[in-house]
Amino acid sequence: MAAADDDVPITRELCRSVMPTGFAIIAFALAFIGCVQCDVIKFTSTSGFEQPITVQFGFWSHEDIGFYTTNDGTSYMVLSCTRYSQDVDIDSKWKAAAAFSILPLIIGGIHFLLMTVAKCTVNHWYDCIFFLLSFLFQGLSILFLDSNACKNNSVIAGITDNYLGDELAFQETCSMSTGMKCIIASMVFWGLATLTSADAYRAKKQKEEIDAPLAEPFLSETL
């Protein structure tokens, strides 16, 4: 029974050490998906097709839609992911959101590198700072929803103008797609990593303060 009771603090301490890193790894993966894909936001057609079509946009690329007609008069469309052209109006909020979306990946990469150099030891004072900065920058990347990409998208206007069939119209403002949902989830996990990291470091310092007086008599006898 005593042995089982002794295992409880060890298990709790291990969980405190592992949880921040686990949350950070999940947050990093979600941030990567949200940053590099072209499905952060989307516009859905409101007219022009029997079945609504969806065109998606990311920070750096977007889905391009091409309309084609075969020799027998059958029309079809092709969606492909492509980079933005120089004609696209990218405003300051768009540029800021794109930059902020990269920073958590850079900060997280530096932190994981430091952990590797330190042989994967955790509960350092700087862990909480890295996670907090990643949380803040990840949140600022949501500015994308208030940029021209979402509210005044010139690519959508071009698609509407180039459509040769019946009148094609899209929703006026964007809605969240998979990438933005990943970014929001990533922000949550960065926040959890920050809180659990702060708690783990506090518990580590408290343990060191408790163990320090117990080690002093042993050191005195040894000397």
Side-chain angles (χ1 to χ4, degrees):
M1 187 68 177
D5 293 338
D6 292 340
D7 290 341
V8 174
I10 296 175
T11 304
R12 186 181 298 116
E13 183 179 350
L14 180 62
C15 288
R16 278 175 168 165
S17 300
V18 173
M19 283 177 64
T21 304
F23 286 140
I25 291 173
I26 296 173
F28 185 90
L30 290 170
F32 181 80
I33 294 172
C35 178
V36 302
Q37 299 293 326
C38 64
D39 61 353
V40 178
I41 59 174
K42 63 184 178 181
F43 287 84
T44 303
S45 65
T46 56
S47 64
F49 285 90
E50 293 183 2
Q51 297 293 330
I53 61 171
T54 298
V55 183
Q56 305 190 95
F57 296 81
F59 295 108
W60 318 99
S61 59
H62 68 95
E63 280 186 342
D64 188 27
I65 183 170
F67 299 101
Y68 303 93
T69 303
T70 61
N71 294 331
D72 60 359
T74 303
S75 298
Y76 67 97
M77 63 180 182
V78 175
L79 285 170
S80 59
C81 206
T82 184
R83 296 188 65 85
Y84 292 105
S85 66
Q86 296 181 350
D87 298 331
V88 177
D89 181 19
I90 300 178
D91 62 349
S92 58
K93 290 183 179 180
W94 188 337
K95 294 177 182 177
F100 287 135
S101 71
I102 294 178
L103 290 176
L105 300 178
I106 296 175
I107 294 171
I110 293 174
H111 180 254
F112 292 141
L113 180 62
L114 290 175
M115 286 182 59
T116 302
V117 173
K119 297 181 180 179
C120 294
T121 57
V122 292
N123 301 340
H124 294 293
W125 62 269
Y126 53 77
D127 292 341
C128 183
I129 296 176
F130 276 111
F131 297 148
L132 179 60
L133 288 174
S134 297
F135 168 79
L136 293 175
F137 290 134
Q138 197 72 74
L140 288 171
S141 66
I142 300 177
L143 277 171
F144 196 54
L145 294 175
D146 195 38
S147 69
N148 282 350
C150 189
K151 295 184 175 181
N152 187 25
N153 196 304
S154 58
V155 177
I156 288 294
I159 292 173
T160 304
D161 293 341
N162 293 332
Y163 181 58
L164 301 178
D166 296 332
E167 183 180 355
L168 176 64
F170 287 87
Q171 60 189 99
E172 293 183 1
T173 58
C174 71
S175 55
M176 292 191 300
S177 189
T178 304
M180 183 57 68
K181 293 175 182 178
C182 286
I183 288 172
I184 294 174
S186 175
M187 186 175 63
V188 172
F189 279 102
W190 284 127
L192 291 173
T194 302
L195 295 176
T196 53
S197 175
D199 179 66
Y201 183 71
R202 179 188 57 80
K204 175 185 176 183
K205 298 302 291 184
Q206 288 180 347
K207 185 175 184 301
E208 290 176 352
E209 292 174 0
I210 294 173
D211 292 345
L214 300 176
E216 289 178 0
F218 175 77
L219 293 174
S220 300
E221 293 176 2
T222 305
L223 295 174

